[in-house]
Amino acid sequence: MPQATATVADPADESSPDRPAGVREAAPGSDFAPLLRAVRDQGLLERRTDRYVLGIAVNSVALGAVITGFVLLGDSWWSLLLTLPLAVLWTRTAFIAHDAGHAQISGDRRTSRVIGLVHANLLLGMNEAWWNDKHVRHHANPNHIDKDPDVGVGALVWTQKQAAQREGLARWLTRHQARLFFPMLLLEGLALKIYGFQFLRRQPLREGVVSGLLLTAHLALCATLLLSTLSPGKAIVFALVLHALFGLHLGMAFAPNHKGMEMPDPDGERWGHLQRQVLTSRNVRGAVLTDWFLGGLNYQIEHHLFPSMPRPNLRLAQPLVKAHCSRVGMPYAETGLIESYRQALSHMHEVGEPLR
């Protein structure tokens, strides 16, 4: 399957969302073109390979240190204390895989895929091909009910029209989805593994074999490490707690980005690139701690406008983007972390209102 770079490495012509990735200029005279020129002139689209090499090295050493501590603790319930730092480091690992899919780390397609395979498939047991396939479609048409898989019908729904079609247990879930959202995130870590294996049959044979072997290697390595250190009961509890914390952290990092923002009318006017990406995205204000907790993706507007921009540069691009949006009269949504969750949960609550 194509990597995220195939469609969203750089903004394409506003009039053609399916335009090839090699075309990197905005439409002449578009409201996005001046911003693109300003960002390029500042050098913010240039890759920060040295920064990523350092980040990957630090993350790898930290993972090794936690695993070493786990082995040294031996068959003890105290090992459960290590699930928290390990879940945090797994989320950092997911951020690296995400950036590799966007060609932020390297311009070489093969290098990007290797980084993605190692960090997603091998270290996390999450199929990078599944993630990239889904993420490509999300970036091309964020919050578009017919085109963005992130707002498709699943365990949760995002419009009252979707809610009206729910039956049985799904209808009950929709009625209470706002209060169930964070508890459901505790299952996301395990769900990512299941989705990855299910996607293997959609991949070309050779690619699927590589992905499948790495996913299987991840499970084998985890099982060997857990069962050679802990009793079976402790090993199961450790794995469940780790995946619950990982899913919660990852979900909390991505939830504030689009939920409760504008959703384009499938039958309405076609939006240009600036409108399509800015109006559907929300930034989260904060200092160093917020940037770290959300992996820098709290600059979601900038990330959607410039998907191949290295994550460390998103903060630097923000003043340019905000100023440009002000000049063209484009609303720019930015809020605090707690308020971002409140807005997302309020939207989910409103969607389920007719069923209550």
Side-chain angles (χ1 to χ4, degrees):
M1 299 302 297
Q3 285 189 269
T5 56
T7 304
V8 297
D10 271 308
D13 182 51
E14 290 186 351
S15 63
S16 178
D18 299 320
R19 192 170 173 179
V23 180
R24 304 196 182 275
E25 296 301 328
S30 73
D31 54 5
F32 176 66
L35 176 60
L36 178 58
R37 286 195 297 269
V39 166
R40 280 183 171 162
D41 290 345
Q42 293 281 342
L44 296 176
L45 293 178
E46 297 176 6
R47 290 179 178 85
R48 303 277 298 275
T49 305
D50 54 343
R51 178 72 174 267
Y52 276 108
V53 169
L54 177 61
I56 290 172
V58 169
N59 192 66
S60 300
V61 170
L63 280 170
V66 172
I67 292 172
T68 300
F70 172 77
V71 173
L72 291 176
L73 275 174
D75 189 13
S76 168
W77 286 110
W78 289 107
S79 63
L80 288 177
L81 295 176
L82 295 179
T83 56
L84 180 58
L86 191 53
V88 170
L89 292 172
W90 267 18
T91 304
R92 306 299 109 183
T93 303
F95 289 150
I96 293 170
H98 166 272
D99 293 0
H102 279 297
Q104 294 177 18
I105 303 174
S106 171
D108 181 73
R109 185 181 179 86
R110 179 169 294 182
T111 300
S112 295
R113 181 150 194 267
V114 168
I115 295 172
L117 284 170
V118 170
H119 286 81
N121 293 51
L122 182 61
L123 295 181
L124 297 179
M126 182 181 76
N127 192 337
E128 58 88 35
W130 165 78
W131 171 261
N132 283 330
D133 174 75
K134 184 173 80 79
H135 209 53
V136 161
R137 292 180 282 139
H138 161 68
H139 265 269
N141 292 282
N143 271 12
H144 191 294
I145 201 66
D146 292 336
K147 298 178 180 179
D148 181 359
D150 287 355
V151 291
V153 175
L156 305 173
V157 294
W158 309 105
T159 70
Q160 292 188 352
K161 183 178 179 181
Q162 291 175 331
Q165 300 171 2
R166 305 284 265 181
E167 299 290 343
L169 177 60
R171 190 177 181 87
W172 181 87
L173 285 174
T174 300
R175 282 204 303 269
H176 305 286
Q177 63 179 9
R179 61 172 58 97
L180 292 173
F181 176 69
F182 285 112
M184 290 173 69
L185 288 180
L186 298 173
L187 302 175
E188 189 65 17
L190 292 173
L192 292 175
K193 284 181 165 56
I194 296 171
Y195 298 149
F197 275 101
Q198 290 175 337
F199 192 78
L200 289 175
R201 59 178 175 266
R202 292 182 52 190
Q203 296 180 245
L205 180 60
R206 183 176 177 180
E207 181 183 290
V209 168
V210 173
S211 295
L213 286 175
L214 289 172
L215 292 174
T216 304
H218 166 82
L219 295 180
L221 288 170
C222 287
T224 300
L225 178 63
L226 289 174
L227 294 175
S228 64
T229 306
L230 302 175
S231 65
K234 292 188 184 77
I236 292 172
V237 172
F238 186 96
L240 290 175
V241 173
L242 171 58
H243 282 84
L245 292 176
F246 171 56
L248 181 64
H249 185 6
L250 197 63
M252 291 179 71
F254 283 93
N257 298 339
H258 302 281
K259 307 312 179 192
M261 294 302 297
E262 291 280 349
M263 301 185 74
D265 182 355
D267 301 317
E269 178 185 359
R270 185 166 185 157
W271 290 1
H273 181 71
L274 187 73
Q275 188 178 18
R276 184 166 60 246
Q277 305 298 344
V278 173
L279 295 184
T280 60
S281 303
R282 176 194 294 112
N283 275 21
V284 177
R285 277 191 303 269
V288 175
L289 185 59
T290 302
D291 288 2
W292 173 84
F293 178 71
L294 300 179
L297 293 176
N298 47 310
Y299 302 101
Q300 189 68 194
I301 294 173
E302 288 71 28
H303 173 55
H304 262 258
L305 286 171
F306 307 101
S308 67
M309 179 182 289
R311 208 160 16 105
N313 287 354
L314 296 175
R315 174 178 58 84
L316 304 177
Q318 186 186 37
L320 295 174
V321 175
K322 287 183 72 172
H324 181 73
C325 287
S326 178
R327 281 194 297 270
V328 301
M330 181 74 65
Y332 182 99
E334 187 177 26
T335 187
L337 180 60
I338 302 302
E339 175 62 16
S340 72
Y341 292 136
R342 189 197 68 78
Q343 292 179 12
L345 292 175
S346 294
H347 174 72
M348 285 186 269
H349 183 75
E350 291 170 8
V351 167
E353 180 67 32
L355 302 188
R356 293 192 294 275

